[in-house]
Amino acid sequence: MKITRKIKIRLKKFLLKSTIYFLSISIGLVLVFKFVPVLITITMLGQWVKGGELHYNWEPIENLSPEMPIAVVAAEDQLFPEHHGFDFKSIKKAIKANQKTEKLRGGSTISQQTAKNVFLWQGRSWIRKGLETYFTFLIELIWGKKRILEVYLNVSEMGPQTFGAEAAAQRYFKIPAAKLSRNRAARIAAILPSPRKWKAVNSGSYVNKRTAHIERQIRQLGGPAYLKEINL
């Protein structure tokens, strides 16, 4: 009985220390990345190991064409300025859709995708989803919308071994991201769901249709002015 009690006490101490360490490290990282560019992510490392090269150039959001932020919002998360990290209507729709087909549909917001891209790994599991929820809450609380969008535009995978709008613009169109037109920004946004499969240039019919749809959505949202409420 005494041995069992000692084990329980040690286990409680271990769990308490582990929780304190996790909270301290995770909150510390979120605070650091509020001000410091993200140098590398787990996904980047994986692509570098597989491909042997990495195209990644961090640029402040002010240095990007104003068409690029609104393009990804129009494509991925039109309620981004309004929600607090989670779009519950989209999540419910995704769950219902996934029950009817083997092809899984995502319901993640830009905030959730950013949390996953920066702090976690790709893939589907309840553990990763739980951690994603935790980090989404933290970045919404500590970073704010403008910083979340800035990080998203820099670390999102936008092609094989290609991360961020600046690297994508340079690689696909041979121009800095500051000079991206609406059509070219929409083309980059169009491949985000499957950046290793779809192409921003020499695109197939699906990407071309998706690009045109994103451009229509941008117009309906009112263009870059739609993001003024998050100080863009």
Side-chain angles (χ1 to χ4, degrees), residues 69-122:
I70 188 60
V72 297
V73 168
E76 296 288 295
D77 183 8
Q78 294 187 12
L79 295 178
F80 177 71
E82 301 173 18
H83 64 61
H84 298 288
F86 307 94
D87 181 354
F88 295 105
K89 287 184 179 179
S90 293
I91 291 171
K92 287 180 181 178
K93 287 181 181 178
I95 292 172
K96 287 182 180 179
N98 293 340
Q99 290 173 343
K100 298 177 182 178
T101 177
E102 293 182 359
K103 187 177 180 181
L104 296 179
R105 171 183 169 185
S108 296
T109 63
I110 284 176
S111 300
Q112 289 174 276
Q113 292 178 53
T114 304
K116 176 188 68 178
N117 290 339
V118 175
F119 300 103
L120 303 170
W121 60 95
Q122 303 299 318

Side-chain angles (χ1 to χ4, degrees), residues 174-191:
K174 313 301 180 188
I175 59 171
K179 294 184 178 180
L180 284 170
S181 64
R182 176 167 296 180
N183 176 262
R184 287 178 168 179
R187 287 194 168 278
I188 293 173
I191 68 170

